[in-house]
């Protein structure tokens, strides 16, 4: 079956969002433009890693350009998106491998999220990163998004805020507190 590439060049919206209550949330990346919406499922750790890496890539691109790249130092307040995910929420695939690149000629960030394959689910594959930017006819489905520096900063800020909005950590063991109670390993099994 041919690979499906969901491509968005400067979309109207590219956000990370959740569905569900803290502790049971499902995390999504969602790109949309002119009524077309693509949503992909991923793990909380993937959202955090992607947001942190976006910030690092933008900072490095700004440094290498000597400050001439059109990348703001922080997310522009007027572009910050706090709206919920667009509905209906239809998952295209679960994300396995992700890649980032700064296109200095176009001055945009390229984000690629590839569908989780059975091989990736069973083992770690270092070659998957190399295959991600290749445009093969066959392979796992992929979401490819090109973002301006400002939109990339806005994405990263929202994603980091989203991850931080989860369950509060236990003051003793730093594990997430559950609403039903918490069995703290540092309290020798006593509930707090």
């Amino acid at each position: 079956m041919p690979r499906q590439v969901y491509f968005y060049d400067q979309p109207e919206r590219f956000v990370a969002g959740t569905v569900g209550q803290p502790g049971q949330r499902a995390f999504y990346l969602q790109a949309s433009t002119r009524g077309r919406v693509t949503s992909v499922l991923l793990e909380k750790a993937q959202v955090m890693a992607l947001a942190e890496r976006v910030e690092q890539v933008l900072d490095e691109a700004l440094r290498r350009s000597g400050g001439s790249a059109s990348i703001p130092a922080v997310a522009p307040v007027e572009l910050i998106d706090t709206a919920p995910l667009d509905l209906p929420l239809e998952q295209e695939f679960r994300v396995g491998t992700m890649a980032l690149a700064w296109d200095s000629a176009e001055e945009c960030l390229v984000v690629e999220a590839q569908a989780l394959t059975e091989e990736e689910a069973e083992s770690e594959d270092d070659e998957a990163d190399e295959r991600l930017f290749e445009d093969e006819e066959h392979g796992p489905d992929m979401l490819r998004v090109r973002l301006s520096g400002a939109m990339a900063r806005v994405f990263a800020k929202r994603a980091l805020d989203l991850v931080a909005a989860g369950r509060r950590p236990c003051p003793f063991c730093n594990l997430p507190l559950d609403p039903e109670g918490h069995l703290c390993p540092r309290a020798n099994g006593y509930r707090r």
Side-chain angles (χ1 to χ4, degrees):
M1 186 155 101
R3 161 186 254 182
Q4 174 71 38
V5 177
Y6 303 91
F7 179 63
Y8 290 83
D9 191 4
Q10 306 301 329
E12 294 168 4
R13 188 169 193 232
F14 181 62
V15 296
T18 62
V19 173
Q21 296 299 316
Q24 299 169 350
R25 298 185 294 175
F27 288 79
Y28 291 89
L29 290 180
Q30 189 175 73
S32 60
T33 194
R34 292 188 295 271
R36 184 175 142 231
V37 178
T38 302
S39 303
V40 296
L41 181 69
L42 69 169
E43 298 295 325
K44 178 180 179 178
Q46 288 175 299
V47 172
M48 189 165 89
L50 179 60
E52 289 172 348
R53 189 69 183 128
V54 164
E55 289 285 358
Q56 292 169 354
V57 168
L58 293 176
D59 291 345
E60 182 63 18
L62 192 57
R63 185 190 67 74
R64 286 186 181 197
S65 73
S68 65
S70 58
I71 303 170
V74 296
V77 176
E78 66 275 6
L79 295 179
I80 292 178
D81 182 352
T82 58
L85 294 171
D86 293 330
L87 297 176
L89 189 60
E90 296 176 10
Q91 168 190 327
E92 300 298 338
F93 58 83
R94 177 180 284 277
V95 175
T97 305
M98 296 184 294
L100 291 174
W102 177 256
D103 182 343
S104 55
E106 297 288 324
E107 288 206 353
C108 68
L109 182 74
V110 180
V111 179
E112 293 189 349
Q114 183 172 276
L116 182 68
T117 63
E118 289 181 26
E119 296 85 34
E120 283 179 327
E122 294 173 6
S123 69
E124 293 293 317
D125 184 4
D126 294 333
E127 295 175 9
D129 292 339
E130 296 170 15
R131 291 189 309 261
L132 198 56
F133 282 107
E134 296 175 7
D135 282 328
E136 298 174 2
E137 184 178 331
H138 298 284
D141 291 350
M142 178 191 305
L143 171 64
R144 178 180 292 151
V145 181
R146 295 168 52 90
L147 300 168
S148 67
M151 284 294 290
R153 287 280 189 209
V154 168
F155 167 80
K157 179 184 180 351
R158 177 181 169 134
L160 290 171
D161 290 348
L162 183 71
V163 170
R167 296 174 289 170
R168 294 181 308 115
C170 172
F172 301 105
C173 67
N174 213 27
L175 292 173
L177 291 171
D178 289 323
E180 298 85 36
H182 173 65
L183 194 59
C184 181
R186 298 210 50 207
N188 293 327
Y190 292 101
R191 283 197 185 271
R192 293 196 179 270

